[in-house]
Structure formats: C-alpha cells, structure tokens
Amino acid sequence: MHDLPLARVYRTTEELKEPEVAEVVGTIPSWIQGTFVRAGPGVFDLKNSFQMNHYLDGYCILSKFEINGSEIKFYKKFLESDAFMKAKISGKPTVCELGTRGYPDTTKGFFTRYLPTIIPPLSDNCNMCAFKLGNKYFAASETSFIREFDLTTLNTGEKYDSIKYFGLNTTSCHPLTDEETGYTYNIGPSFCTGLKYNIIRIPPLLTNQTPHEIFKKTKIIATIPSSWNGEIGRASCRERV
C-alpha cells in the first residue's frame, strides 16, 4: 500500500499529547475566530503488519483548529470507537468496514467469537464527518451509529444507534440543520419492512436536554419507496434456470 503514489493519503497518523501552535504567515482577518473540527480516517496500520484495504476503513481521528486572534492551535485525538479499540487488541478489524472484512474477535469466547459471521454487526468507526446538535458534538459515518465527543478535550462519549431510535438501518453522515427553527434533518434507508428511504426530523437540543431525549422524539416525516425491488436478482435466477 505504501509504495503507491497516494501513500501519504493512507499514512497512519498519531495523536498529539499537547496542541501544536501553527506558524502564521501574514495576517489572520479579525472576523475569523472560533473552533474548526473535522473527523477523518487516521489509522490504517495495525500490529503484525496488518493494513486496511480502503481509505474510508481507516479508524477515525478527530482534528481541531482553535483560532484566537493571531494564534492557531492544532489538536488531534483518536475516536475511541468499539471497532477501533477491539482492532487494537486483535490486530485486525473485528467488524466489516467498507473494503476490509472483519475477523473473529479474540477478546470473546469460542461461540460468541463466530456469531458475527452469522449476524454481521455494523461498525461504529465514525470517520466521515463531525456535526453539531445544540451544544453537543458528534462524529458519524454511513452506518447506524454516531458517536458523541467533547469539543474541548476531543474525548469520546456515548454511542447512539439509529436502528433503535429511528428504525433506520443506516443514515447519511451529512445531516442538515435549519438555522431558523433548530430542527435537523437527515435521510437513511430501512430494510426490515421493505426497501425504502426515510427522512427524519430531529428536534433542537436544548441546554437541559440529553441526546437520548431528543433522539426519542425524532420523527420520520417522509418515506420514499425504493425503485429497486429485487427484479435483477429474480431475472438472473430465471436466466440460469
């Protein structure tokens, strides 16, 4: 992997124990103030020389820029997802990522180790985006999980499952918030009751509320049936017969 021209893209990065102070060339406009945070792939190499197969399989690292006057500080910290922590112990992913298959979880017993081969779990490696609900911050990818994190310390918080709260098997990692009403909208498919897309509306997260409370109040406001109904698979079967 590291012999490819894009080797720098797949390079494993490290956390920063202390923030780095950037060297500023020129003048930062006075109206640029605040914090800019991103989530993205950061760990592609595990022990015993195991490497992830796809860019979006890299385990998440949170990156934060703090801009205050003429000073910019840069922070980096790994998102301590269940998927990442188990992979660190096993030396291989224990759940399937986008392009890298999962391997038996060495932290479990014999039978529970092989249960995921029958019912594959989804990964909580939320490495695609960071977004805000009220005064809370979350990282997400396009599975059923989102992870809360602390903006100040970048420490990992609770995990929330869209299957349990909304009945969506996966969700988009790019929710949109209406600045006037505070409502946040997202879309995701559901499979168990027929293939369809659902648009959800998440209420504003008030200061005295928890994410759990507003996720319980989230509603599906529109449903779009899938245009694909399995005809391709059935046609292939008829052709083989």
Side-chain angles (χ1 to χ4, degrees), residues 138-206:
F138 303 86
S141 60
E142 296 194 339
T143 70
S144 66
F145 297 112
I146 63 174
R147 274 281 188 177
E148 187 178 354
F149 66 89
D150 184 276
L151 183 63
T152 302
T153 63
L154 298 183
N155 289 340
T156 304
E158 294 294 321
K159 177 174 70 173
Y160 301 93
D161 187 349
S162 67
I163 297 176
K164 294 179 180 179
Y165 286 105
F166 323 133
L168 273 60
N169 292 91
T170 66
T171 57
S172 162
C173 63
H174 299 290
L176 299 175
T177 299
D178 185 331
E179 295 296 335
E180 293 185 359
T181 65
Y183 282 96
T184 299
Y185 298 85
N186 207 347
I187 187 171
S190 57
F191 308 137
C192 298
T193 58
L195 300 177
K196 53 182 175 289
Y197 292 98
N198 300 283
I199 299 174
I200 60 173
R201 183 176 63 195
I202 305 172
L205 179 60
L206 305 179

Side-chain angles (χ1 to χ4, degrees), residues 72-91:
I72 299 178
K73 291 183 178 180
F74 178 60
Y75 304 74
K76 284 194 302 183
K77 190 174 182 64
F78 294 131
L79 184 75
E80 295 181 348
S81 62
D82 295 342
F84 177 48
M85 302 309 288
K86 290 181 179 180
K88 285 178 64 178
I89 296 172
S90 299

Side-chain angles (χ1 to χ4, degrees), residues 86-87 89-90 93-94 102-110 112-114 116:
K86 290 181 179 180
I89 296 172
S90 299
T94 60
Y103 295 81
D105 186 350
T106 57
T107 65
K108 294 183 177 180
F110 178 80
T112 53
R113 184 182 303 179
Y114 290 96

Side-chain angles (χ1 to χ4, degrees), residues 28 37 41 169 203-204 208 232-233 236:
I28 300 175
V37 63
N169 292 91
N208 60 344
I232 296 176
S236 299

Side-chain angles (χ1 to χ4, degrees), residues 35-77:
T35 301
F36 180 71
V37 63
R38 298 297 298 267
V43 179
F44 299 93
D45 301 280
L46 299 173
K47 61 184 180 182
N48 300 322
S49 301
F50 186 90
Q51 296 177 325
M52 307 300 281
N53 293 331
H54 193 282
Y55 176 69
L56 292 178
D57 292 345
Y59 291 104
C60 177
I61 192 163
L62 298 169
S63 302
K64 181 179 70 169
F65 295 86
E66 284 186 351
I67 305 172
N68 184 15
S70 60
E71 183 180 69
I72 299 178
K73 291 183 178 180
F74 178 60
Y75 304 74
K76 284 194 302 183
K77 190 174 182 64

